[in-house]
Amino acid sequence: MDTSEFWTIIDAARSASAPDGPFAEALVDELAARTKDDILRYQERFDDVHDAVYRWDMWAAAYLIGGGCSDDSFTDFRAGLIALGRDWYEKAAARPDSLAEHPAVIAAAEVHRDEALFYEEVNYAASEAFKRVTGDEEDFYEAWDAYRATRDSSGRGSEDMGEDFDFDDPDEMRSRLPQLAALYLRDTP
């Protein structure tokens, strides 16, 4: 599955879900209508897109938006970023601070909510769809392990995360992510 087809699936699920509705359910529906091989190829591309934003600057954005951000939460944040669709994903991948312009981020900041863009269920859409197709959740993990064994994994997991910096230093965060810091660090000197 190429990147364009991946984003077509994401867009179809976005179109099928209500404005504030369960995108993850629509994504599972979209994937469950495809073949098992398509679901595995989707998961491969999901992992590629998900891993591409495994960077310190993106983690810092998640840290500000989430009022902190553990490893698990950063996984959910990147899934939520994918759920926004290709345009927002690419915009944020190029400049994480641009997330300060997203309506959900702005709305969450105004009411001091910290769950904007964190979407755990999106991480498991392929396994849920596979379960619907086969009737057994373990079938996905067995098929996924077999599928990955046939793929070239050289270069995976060796991404450069960029420069690490102190997320708890308000001045550093204001310097690196000025728009997000303006939304989320209003009460700190």
Side-chain angles (χ1 to χ4, degrees), residues 29-168:
D29 291 344
E30 182 68 27
L31 290 169
R34 296 172 174 267
T35 67
K36 293 185 289 186
D37 287 340
D38 283 345
I39 295 169
L40 294 171
R41 285 191 288 273
Y42 163 87
Q43 183 65 47
E44 179 180 32
R45 195 61 52 228
F46 177 87
D47 287 352
D48 290 344
V49 171
H50 197 261
D51 292 349
V53 289
Y54 188 76
R55 305 186 325 239
W56 291 118
D57 59 348
M58 191 63 71
W59 203 328
Y63 191 87
L64 283 172
I65 292 168
C69 188
S70 67
D71 293 348
D72 287 345
S73 292
F74 188 46
T75 297
D76 300 343
F77 178 83
R78 290 178 288 141
L81 186 59
I82 292 167
L84 294 178
R86 187 177 201 162
D87 290 343
W88 271 105
Y89 173 89
E90 289 178 351
K91 186 176 183 177
R95 193 174 66 85
D97 200 34
S98 67
L99 288 170
E101 301 163 11
H102 192 279
V105 174
I106 294 167
E110 287 173 355
V111 295
H112 304 286
R113 282 192 356 249
D114 61 4
E115 71 273 1
L117 307 188
F118 291 79
Y119 208 157
E120 179 180 13
E121 294 84 2
V122 173
N123 290 306
Y124 307 108
S127 63
E128 285 298 314
F130 211 87
K131 177 180 166 183
R132 269 198 215 165
V133 170
T134 66
D136 185 352
E137 185 173 359
E138 291 305 310
D139 285 347
F140 172 76
Y141 299 104
E142 291 168 10
W144 180 238
D145 287 344
Y147 179 84
R148 282 192 322 186
T150 67
R151 309 305 284 177
D152 178 17
S153 63
S154 62
R156 283 188 185 259
S158 62
E159 293 82 17
D160 179 11
M161 288 185 65
E163 182 184 355
D164 188 6
F165 55 97
D166 185 357
F167 297 171
D168 289 318

